[in-house]
Amino acid sequence: MAIMSRIIRLNKMKTTSPFFIHGIDCYMAGVRLIRQPGLRRFVIIPLVINMALFSIASWMLWLYLSTAVDSMLPSWLSWLAWLILPVFMAAVMVVVYYAFTLVANIIASPFYGYLAKGVERHLKGETHLSLETDFFSTETLAILGSELRKLVYYLVRAIPLLLLSLIPGVNVITLPLWLLFSAWFLSFEYAGYAFENHGVLFNEQKRILKQSRANSLAFGGLSLLATTIPIVNLFAPAVAVAGATKMLYE
């Protein structure tokens, strides 16, 4: 009954902010929320995971692209590599960093589940934020399973869109669609931790978020932008989890 009453409240979610502004406000509020003393420990370990993965991604990306650009340019144009390489790298890093974000989210998902719990308690005004943490519990396995299901959901739709975006002419339509879908998915991804804490599962999560598409896309679009900015992308997932929890709580 408690779960169903929570779903009903989420379905009737009303905000004073017009259209997509609420989603943006909540994402920005996530920056403040992850700095709360009782919540920091659930941010530190995902931050370390993100730093490790993004460092590897940046190193591999630089090695690959520097070789690729050198091989593409004729010898008499090799002096242009310093100009072409940063532009080429900026375009590719959007996709690479985004992919590494999805992997990092799966590894750090148990911590994000506890972060969502802590944020909700904070929003309720509870001063004692300590949580019992058992990262080998059935609940943790359920969260990991949900993350893997979401990853499959994303890949089945995003890969065809991304491949079509490489075709001249067709990409005029498919590239914007890929960006919109990615924004929607990130909203779905980061709201999932708060949903799952209340037993609201995959299909019901989608149904509820679709009732406020503008907020969901605005929130996800800002999350997508944050994943492409070096250093910012290290903190972006934790900020998004905290902000999505606030968005649903309100």
Side-chain angles (χ1 to χ4, degrees), residues 60-134:
M60 292 176 62
L61 191 60
W62 178 261
L63 286 181
Y64 171 75
L65 291 180
S66 59
T67 304
V69 171
D70 288 340
S71 63
M72 286 189 299
L73 290 174
S75 58
W76 61 278
L77 284 178
S78 59
W79 60 274
L80 274 178
W82 67 271
L83 176 63
I84 296 175
L85 181 58
V87 175
F88 189 38
M89 187 172 183
V92 176
M93 69 188 288
V94 174
V95 177
V96 174
Y97 281 165
Y98 183 76
F100 270 78
T101 296
L102 297 181
V103 175
N105 287 349
I106 293 175
I107 298 173
S109 57
F111 299 94
Y112 291 144
Y114 283 103
L115 175 60
K117 283 184 180 180
V119 168
E120 187 169 336
R121 289 187 183 183
H122 173 77
L123 294 173
K124 288 178 179 178
E126 298 180 14
T127 56
H128 183 64
L129 296 179
S130 64
L131 300 168
E132 294 182 3
T133 55
D134 179 4

Side-chain angles (χ1 to χ4, degrees), residues 110-178:
F111 299 94
Y112 291 144
Y114 283 103
L115 175 60
K117 283 184 180 180
V119 168
E120 187 169 336
R121 289 187 183 183
H122 173 77
L123 294 173
K124 288 178 179 178
E126 298 180 14
T127 56
H128 183 64
L129 296 179
S130 64
L131 300 168
E132 294 182 3
T133 55
D134 179 4
F135 296 111
F136 299 97
S137 64
T138 303
E139 180 181 356
T140 297
L141 294 176
I143 292 174
L144 288 171
S146 178
E147 287 301 299
L148 290 172
R149 183 178 180 185
K150 285 181 182 177
L151 182 61
V152 173
Y153 169 85
Y154 174 78
L155 292 176
V156 167
R157 293 159 177 79
I159 289 177
L161 282 173
L162 190 57
L163 291 176
L164 289 172
S165 298
L166 301 176
I167 303 175
V170 178
N171 56 11
V172 174
I173 298 174
T174 55
L175 185 56
L177 287 177
W178 181 78

